[in-house]
């Protein structure tokens, strides 16, 4: 027991250090997402996504990249699009884009792991959409899709209402005071949905970095084996580790950093990052939305897409010499504190977050039946 207390302290210090390194970028990313949610309605996206064409898939990808990075919110928006008439491929492409192509995720990867992982995440996000589109076209279950579209679902606690400001153009919306109230409310909703995932991710990464020796990860991911063995094995195993970790969205980045520092291959780490849409709680959400058959289909297609994309990205980055050679000592880097640019950025964006939460306190969100209409009525009287 005497030895356990110092280790717990080290794990908590690691978790706090990881959060300190990326805190400002979270506020920046969620602020951008909140603005876009306030000016772009789900109805306008749904009307444009009724086919499985290249244009519709590209539009869904762009819309996802501009939206929240919360996996649960992404699944809820995708469900709304699909059940209001959007085709299956754009609906699923939206999820991959909104959890892999968002700005805050790339920034955090850059800060913790380097530009190569940021590039691997963003380029890989596009690859995920392309591969997913091909796999769904090859395996399209027409009867199952129609059953899923009309499946009587159970409600999930991770849903967004469509809180969009009024106005004929984006500029007109941005000039309205109500828009900035909605921005603050969207910001608060994203944080309320994601803070537990983030906290869990940092705590798990901190604990595993202290309590699990690097040798365990190296044995599990067959470090030292031929690249022809290690890279495919890592790509196949990493998503399963992600599924069992329960950590989704940005919360899996700290754990990915631990895996990279322990010797997991570049493609394996990317596969772990890509797998945030198939963690166990989300698989249960898919079951509630679409039924267990469609949930199983989505899980299988997503897993295959993730593995193929990770293998392609590893091969391409190796060929062009973009795979990082250094594996940082996470213990040393995460517990180092100084009054550098990170300090001042955290102060500045911390004040922004406080301001947005203060706006929400003055203009609390409405809940229950008719939430959106009541909210709009309240805002029109500002």
């Amino acid at each position: 027991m005497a030895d356990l207390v110092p280790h717990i302290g080290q794990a908590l210090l690691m978790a706090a250090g990881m959060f300190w390194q990326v805190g400002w970028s979270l506020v920046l990313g969620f602020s951008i997402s909140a603005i876009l949610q306030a000016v772009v309605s789900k109805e306008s996206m749904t009307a444009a996504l009724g086919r499985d064409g290249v244009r519709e898939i590209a539009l869904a990808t762009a819309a996802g990249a501009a939206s929240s990075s919360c996996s649960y919110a992404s699944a809820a928006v995708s469900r709304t699009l699909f059940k209001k008439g959007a085709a299956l491929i754009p609906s699923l492409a939206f999820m991959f884009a909104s959890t892999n192509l968002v700005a805050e995720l790339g920034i955090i990867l850059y800060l913790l792991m380097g530009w190569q992982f940021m590039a691997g995440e963003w380029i890989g996000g596009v690859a995920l959409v392309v591969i997913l589109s091909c796999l769904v076209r090859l395996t399209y279950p027409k009867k199952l899709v129609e059953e899923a579209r009309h499946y009587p679902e159970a409600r999930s606690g991770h849903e967004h209402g469509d809180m969009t400001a009024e106005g004929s153009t984006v500029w007109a919306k941005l000039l309205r005071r109500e828009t900035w109230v909605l921005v603050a409310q969207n910001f608060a909703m994203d944080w309320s949905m994601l803070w537990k995932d983030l906290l869990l991710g940092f705590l798990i990464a901190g604990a595993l970095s202290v309590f699990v020796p690097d040798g365990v990860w190296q044995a599990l991911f067959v470090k030292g084996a031929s690249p022809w063995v290690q890279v495919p094995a890592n790509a196949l195993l990493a998503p399963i580790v992600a599924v069992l970790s329960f950590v989704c969205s940005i919360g899996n980045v700290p754990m990915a950093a631990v895996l990279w520092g322990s010797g997991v291959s570049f493609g394996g780490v990317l596969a772990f990052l890509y797998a945030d849409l198939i963690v166990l709680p989300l698989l249960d959400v898919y079951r509630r939305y679409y039924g267990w058959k469609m949930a199983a289909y989505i899980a299988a297609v997503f897993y295959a897409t993730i593995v193929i994309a990770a293998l392609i990205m590893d091969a391409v980055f190796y060929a062009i010499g973009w795979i990082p050679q250094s594996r940082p000592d996470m213990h040393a880097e995460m517990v180092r504190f100084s009054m550098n640019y990170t300090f001042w950025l955290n102060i500045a964006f911390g004040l922004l977050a406080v301001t947005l939460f203060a706006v929400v306190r003055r203009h609390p969100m409405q809940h229950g039946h008719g939430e959106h209409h009541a909210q709009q009525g309240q805002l029109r009287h500002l």
Side-chain angles (χ1 to χ4, degrees):
M1 179 62 71
D3 293 335
L4 182 61
V5 174
H7 283 83
I8 293 176
Q10 293 174 21
L12 292 175
L13 183 60
M14 276 288 295
M18 290 178 185
F19 178 78
W20 177 256
Q21 294 296 323
V22 303
W24 68 268
S25 63
L26 290 174
V27 178
L28 172 62
F30 285 122
S31 299
I32 295 172
S33 174
I35 293 171
L36 293 168
Q37 290 177 57
V39 299
V40 181
S41 70
K42 294 175 188 174
E43 282 75 12
S44 63
M45 288 192 292
T46 301
L49 303 179
R51 296 175 57 251
D52 280 329
V54 174
R55 177 184 177 277
E56 289 76 16
I57 296 171
L59 180 60
T61 301
S67 72
S68 169
S69 62
C70 172
S71 302
Y72 293 101
S74 172
V77 173
S78 175
R79 180 283 317 266
T80 299
L81 297 173
F82 178 68
K83 295 209 170 182
K84 285 187 175 182
L88 179 62
I89 295 177
S91 301
L92 298 181
F94 177 90
M95 286 199 284
F96 269 128
S98 65
T99 53
N100 292 282
L101 295 176
V102 289
E104 61 265 34
L105 178 58
I107 295 171
I108 292 171
L109 283 168
Y110 174 79
L111 293 173
L112 285 184
M113 303 175 68
W115 66 266
Q116 296 94 334
F117 279 97
M118 179 181 71
E121 183 70 24
W122 283 345
I123 299 172
V126 176
L128 287 165
V129 171
V130 173
I131 295 166
L132 170 76
S133 302
C134 294
L135 290 179
V136 174
R137 288 186 189 279
L138 290 172
T139 62
Y140 192 81
K142 184 176 181 180
K143 182 179 178 181
L144 184 59
V145 169
E146 290 308 309
E147 291 176 354
R149 197 182 297 277
H150 300 97
Y151 184 78
E153 67 191 67
R155 285 293 178 183
S156 170
H158 285 82
E159 292 189 49
H160 275 290
D162 187 8
M163 298 177 63
T164 308
E166 296 180 348
S168 58
T169 65
V170 171
W171 182 248
K173 292 177 181 179
L174 290 175
L175 291 177
R176 296 172 64 94
R177 184 185 175 192
E178 74 170 57
T179 300
W180 296 101
V181 175
L182 287 174
V183 168
Q185 292 174 339
N186 288 331
F187 179 90
M189 281 197 300
D190 282 348
W191 273 105
S192 68
M193 286 188 299
L194 197 57
W195 74 268
K196 291 181 181 178
D197 294 319
L198 288 168
L199 178 62
L200 183 62
F202 287 119
L203 290 176
I204 288 176
L208 293 178
S209 68
V210 172
F211 289 101
V212 179
D214 287 348
V216 173
W217 297 118
Q218 292 167 0
L220 182 63
F221 286 94
V222 292
K223 182 184 178 182
S226 164
W228 293 99
V229 174
Q230 185 187 15
V231 172
N234 285 191
L236 289 166
L237 179 61
I240 298 174
V241 174
V243 170
L244 299 177
S245 73
F246 280 68
V247 182
C248 65
S249 303
I250 298 173
N252 65 3
V253 175
M255 181 59 193
V258 172
L259 293 178
W260 176 244
S262 299
V264 178
S265 69
F266 182 77
V269 175
L270 288 179
F272 179 85
L273 289 166
Y274 297 156
D276 60 329
L277 286 173
I278 55 174
V279 296
L280 289 177
L282 269 173
L283 294 178
D284 186 58
V285 169
Y286 302 149
R287 178 190 62 81
R288 296 182 184 185
Y289 284 166
Y290 311 116
W292 70 267
K293 291 182 180 179
M294 189 62 175
Y297 175 79
I298 291 173
V301 169
F302 278 11
Y303 178 78
T305 298
I306 290 164
V307 172
I308 295 170
L311 290 172
I312 291 174
M313 295 304 297
D314 193 289
V316 170
F317 274 51
Y318 178 80
I320 62 180
W322 279 12
I323 293 181
Q325 297 302 312
S326 63
R327 296 177 183 270
D329 181 357
M330 294 299 296
H331 296 79
E333 292 195 10
M334 291 303 105
V335 298
R336 185 183 299 120
F337 176 85
S338 60
M339 293 185 65
N340 54 12
Y341 74 94
T342 300
F343 174 86
W344 296 112
L345 286 171
N346 279 332
I347 295 297
F349 282 95
L351 291 174
L352 173 61
V354 170
T355 301
L356 292 172
F357 280 117
V359 171
V360 174
R361 186 172 182 179
R362 289 196 299 271
H363 304 284
M365 291 173 284
Q366 303 294 319
H367 299 282
H369 183 68
E371 171 182 347
H372 176 62
H373 297 291
Q375 185 68 43
Q376 290 291 341
Q378 179 190 33
L379 292 172
R380 277 194 287 269
H381 288 87
L382 290 176

